[in-house]
Amino acid sequence: MFYTYQDQPLHKNTRDESDQEKDKLLLTDYGPGPLSVNLKKACEQNDNFRTVLWTGNGLQVVLMSLERAFSIDPYFSKTSDQIINVVDGSGLIKIGNSKDSFDYQSFLNESSSIIVPLNKWVTVLNLGNDPLKLYIIYAPPLFASGTLNKTKEDAKKS
């Protein structure tokens, strides 16, 4: 339900819970305006390797789905601190000071959250039989607004 103030929507991108149950959220970049969204449901709905859901000036929300036995290849977090939140599935995250030396690792499952500081190497592996569904908050944004990569191969090309 929209709440109005002088006939203007109070929250332009807000949808009430009954609307969310009736139809799926359009997975697109809603930034930089206000957005009220159930991130768990958005993640569960996302079947793309990477979908940018919201981009602002200071942070970005990215949905990811890793197929069975897939991983996020090791990358260096040179521009963004990150918070990785697992919604569904199980996996492993490794974090370290070099691509060949990960000195921190943690198993991931539903409701796991990992904070990744700037200037660390990171990799995430799906260890389960089902897709690993997660969202990552980057501060500041890492990807171009509206980025959508259906597959890992598409992401490598961009």
Side-chain angles (χ1 to χ4, degrees):
M1 169 184 290
F2 287 103
Y3 296 95
T4 60
Y5 176 72
Q6 296 179 346
D7 298 323
Q8 298 297 316
L10 187 60
H11 298 289
K12 182 179 175 185
N13 290 329
T14 301
R15 297 159 32 122
D16 73 20
E17 200 64 30
S18 62
D19 284 344
Q20 290 181 4
E21 295 299 322
K22 290 178 189 172
D23 59 356
K24 291 184 176 184
L25 175 70
L26 175 63
L27 296 179
T28 188
D29 194 333
Y30 287 92
L35 175 66
S36 175
V37 64
N38 182 323
L39 285 170
K40 182 176 183 348
K41 287 183 182 180
C43 277
E44 290 169 346
Q45 180 184 322
N46 178 54
D47 291 323
N48 297 313
F49 178 73
R50 178 182 297 123
T51 302
V52 173
L53 184 65
W54 191 90
T55 304
N57 294 323
L59 66 88
Q60 183 173 60
V61 178
V62 177
L63 310 177
M64 296 195 74
S65 180
L66 302 179
E67 293 299 320
R68 187 172 69 86
F70 268 54
S71 66
I72 298 174
D73 293 336
Y75 65 94
F76 189 65
S77 62
K78 65 182 174 183
T79 61
S80 298
D81 289 315
Q82 303 166 31
I83 302 173
I84 301 172
N85 298 283
V86 178
V87 169
D88 199 19
S90 60
L92 178 71
I93 186 167
K94 295 181 179 184
I95 302 170
N97 292 323
S98 75
K99 189 176 183 177
D100 301 318
S101 176
F102 295 101
D103 56 358
Y104 175 88
Q105 70 176 22
S106 180
F107 287 102
L108 304 171
N109 55 37
E110 185 176 330
S111 301
S112 293
S113 294
I114 304 290
I115 298 171
V116 180
L118 193 65
N119 296 322
K120 295 289 183 179
W121 282 90
V122 183
T123 187
V124 177
L125 303 95
N126 181 353
L127 300 178
N129 292 321
D130 296 317
L132 178 61
K133 303 279 188 158
L134 54 92
Y135 66 92
I136 304 175
I137 298 171
Y138 295 97
L142 183 63
F143 300 101
S145 179
T147 297
L148 186 142
N149 303 118
K150 289 191 180 289
T151 66
K152 185 175 172 178
E153 291 73 31
D154 290 345
K156 287 181 179 182
K157 292 176 190 174
S158 60

